[in-house]
Amino acid sequence: MLRFPDYFRIQFSGLTEPLFSLVLIASVALALRGQARWGAAVISLLPFARSEGFILLGVYGFYLLVTRNWRALPWLGLGFVVYGVAGLFVYQDFLWVFTHNAYPVRNESYGQGQWNHFIISLPNTVGWVLYGLFWLGGLRMLWEWVKPATRLRPEKFTAELLLVYGSVVVFIGAHTIFWTFGIFGSFGLTRVLCCIVPLVSLIALRGVGVITSMGRTEVARQRIRVGLVVAVVGFLFCGARAAFRWERDFGRPSDQLLADAAARWTRRQGALPHVVFQHPYLALPLQTDPFGPGHSLMPAVREQSWPLPSGTLVIWDDWYAVMEGQVPFETLRNDPHYRLRWLAAMPRNRRKPTADSVRIAIFQKL
């Protein structure tokens, strides 16, 4: 997946999109190989990689109904049963997937945006060359759909049409609806498009077939393929916004550099007291167990029944502390029980220092 800039950036992370894409393409591949039952068992695990899996589970179920593969339908519930039983030991609730849903229908903190946000963001995820091949592949599928010759291989054609093209359309369509109406905590993050990158690659491959078919000889077609490979790979290093940029994609982000500075200041104060922070990276430079008794999350600032001990250091950042901890800077600045000890800022994009900046502040509980 080196050819897809966004996918390459996150594949070594702990984010859920690569795992989701792996489970999705595995289930589709099994269906295309005629093993729909195994594909149903695999895709039943998809909602437990990301919650959008429930939607694509419906797409796979529709495919099984259209192809009259009745015996494979029960396998769509395998993942839910397995995780439901596991939930009995943790939540004492077989239906915990629904009763403990982390994404309620409405969450005002996530906001909403324009309906075409994800559609116009797709080139930044896959790159402009593959974006063009993607549309060529899509148009090729539409052309084949209206041709009677496709009836010669109805099973395989139906599987590709519904599970590859249908899943891409449904996934983007669902996120378009979520972001337009501000539901299910979409937040407009375009990296979710990485979930369907393997399917997009299959569609782009059809686009390659469209272009190579223009060659009259096998030598000409081979040259076209080589040219497309050079264009796809070369685009990654052309400096475009959708391509690779070393400092942005492979350098350390400003919030981590600022967190290191905050940790150094904290360490110079002597023995580390009880600390409060929401930014997950801070546990590393502070050498603090994020699950241990010496650390609390930002909501502890508002806790009245179990107040923080005197001397506690609260390391506030302008993203996690605000969005997840629900503690704005003014809350601590105006609270007489807290004293500002350290404050620093750094441009989020260090090549554009006049743009948005990152802030971290350290308050001490009096």
Side-chain angles (χ1 to χ4, degrees), residues 11 23 32-34 53 74 76 81 95-96 140 153 164 188 191 199 218 240-241 283-285 290 299 329:
Q11 66 178 323
V23 177
L32 292 175
R33 290 169 61 91
L76 292 176
V81 171
L95 300 176
W96 68 272
R140 175 63 179 268
R153 296 184 306 153
V164 178
R191 73 163 187 254
L199 300 184
E218 182 56 34
R241 181 181 179 184
L284 294 179
F329 180 81

Side-chain angles (χ1 to χ4, degrees), residues 134-145 165 203 210:
F134 165 77
W135 278 106
L136 280 176
L139 293 174
R140 175 63 179 268
M141 172 56 81
L142 288 176
W143 172 251
E144 292 188 3
W145 183 56
Y165 293 80
I203 299 174
V210 172

Side-chain angles (χ1 to χ4, degrees), residues 11-29:
Q11 66 178 323
F12 301 113
S13 71
L15 296 172
T16 55
E17 286 84 1
L19 176 61
F20 184 97
S21 68
L22 174 63
V23 177
L24 176 59
I25 192 61
S27 62
V28 172

Side-chain angles (χ1 to χ4, degrees), residues 5 9 123-124 127 234-245 248-249:
R9 293 181 187 111
N124 290 330
F235 173 81
L236 299 174
F237 306 98
C238 71
R241 181 181 179 184
F244 289 150
R245 291 185 178 178
R248 179 195 66 186
D249 300 326

Side-chain angles (χ1 to χ4, degrees), residues 246-272:
W246 181 260
E247 184 176 302
R248 179 195 66 186
D249 300 326
F250 305 106
R252 298 189 63 197
S254 296
D255 61 334
Q256 288 189 7
L257 295 177
L258 208 55
D260 285 340
R264 286 193 297 269
W265 181 90
T266 302
R267 295 306 244 176
R268 287 197 298 267
Q269 307 311 304
L272 189 67

Side-chain angles (χ1 to χ4, degrees), residues 27-35 63 155-156 159-160 163-164 202:
S27 62
V28 172
L30 287 168
L32 292 175
R33 290 169 61 91
Q35 298 176 320
Y63 158 72
E155 295 84 4
K156 189 169 183 180
E160 184 178 356
L163 299 182
V164 178
L202 293 179

